[in-house]
């Protein structure tokens, strides 16, 4: 299964292993981690939640899009949910392609599309408060802690 939501810490090597292929001359990985400072505000930890079945479908869609755009590409994406501390790994994307330029481009495409269409949201916990951030582009707030039906890209 190349596209997963996990409540457990992500095994980076296992994500990479899913895209190894004899035709590949390059494998790129993107490892998204929880940072301490966002716009000067100190984060203590994050809580990620997801509409899991839809999130997996949207990650599969991203994999299909990449295979259509970059010949010979193979893609694996794992995103974590639950409480994540500073430096914890939130997402791992691995892309293999015959040539390195394509692997870089396709991997960048994957993280941007995740933020656009995958229903995963987070609650930031700071030293002085907490807030549900909303969609991953931070363009739609989720004040109730979860997206409304209209917010989901089904």
């Amino acid at each position: 299964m190349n596209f997963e939501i996990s409540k457990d810490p992500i095994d980076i090597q296992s994500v990479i292993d899913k895209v190894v292929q004899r035709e590949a001359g390059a494998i790129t990985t993107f490892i998204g981690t929880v940072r301490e400072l966002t716009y000067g505000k100190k984060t203590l930890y994050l809580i990620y939640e997801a509409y899991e079945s839809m999130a997996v479908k949207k990650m599969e869609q991203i994999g299909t899009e990449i295979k259509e755009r970059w010949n010979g590409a193979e893609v694996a994406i794992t995103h974590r949910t639950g409480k994540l501390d500073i430096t914890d790994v939130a997402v791992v994307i691995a892309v293999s392609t015959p040539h390195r330029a394509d692997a870089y481009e396709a991997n960048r495409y994957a993280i941007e599309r995740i933020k656009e269409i995958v229903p995963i949201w987070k609650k930031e916990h700071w030293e002085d408060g907490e807030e549900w951030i909303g969609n991953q582009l931070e363009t739609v707030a989720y004040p109730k802690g979860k997206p409304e039906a209209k917010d989901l890209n089904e």
Side-chain angles (χ1 to χ4, degrees):
M1 187 162 50
N2 282 16
F3 305 96
E4 294 181 279
I5 299 293
S6 175
K7 291 178 175 53
D8 300 317
I10 300 170
D11 178 354
I12 296 167
Q13 187 62 52
S14 74
V15 180
I16 294 169
D17 290 346
K18 293 175 183 176
V19 302
V20 171
Q21 53 180 337
R22 295 178 67 86
E23 301 77 17
I27 297 174
T28 59
T29 55
F30 173 81
I31 302 167
T33 59
V34 177
R35 68 174 168 260
E36 184 172 50
L37 294 174
T38 301
Y39 307 118
K41 206 166 187 174
K42 186 174 181 178
T43 300
L44 301 176
Y45 64 93
L46 301 177
I47 295 177
Y48 279 99
E49 292 190 3
Y51 177 9
E52 193 168 329
S53 60
M54 181 59 67
V56 171
K57 285 181 185 174
K58 291 298 183 179
M59 290 191 295
E60 290 170 347
Q61 175 186 329
I62 293 167
T64 299
E65 291 172 2
I66 287 173
K67 287 181 176 192
E68 290 171 356
R69 292 178 69 151
W70 288 278
N71 188 32
E74 190 61 52
V75 184
I77 303 169
T78 300
H79 202 296
R80 191 167 167 202
T81 56
K83 182 184 176 203
L84 280 73
D85 293 314
I86 305 304
T87 74
D88 280 351
V89 174
V91 62
V92 175
I93 303 166
V95 176
S96 67
T97 60
H99 303 286
R100 71 179 173 275
D102 289 345
Y104 279 114
E105 291 173 20
N107 201 308
R108 174 68 185 260
Y109 178 85
I111 189 62
E112 299 303 332
R113 288 293 283 157
I114 287 170
K115 291 188 171 288
E116 286 176 346
I117 68 169
V118 178
I120 296 171
W121 55 96
K122 66 183 174 186
K123 187 174 191 177
E124 292 224 19
H125 294 261
W126 304 294
E127 291 177 310
D128 60 348
E130 59 190 33
E131 180 180 0
W132 284 102
I133 299 302
N135 71 353
Q136 292 197 66
L137 291 174
E138 299 184 19
T139 56
V140 179
Y142 298 155
K144 294 179 181 174
K146 297 188 182 296
E148 305 286 329
K150 66 178 176 47
D151 299 320
L152 296 172
N153 298 317
E154 296 191 35

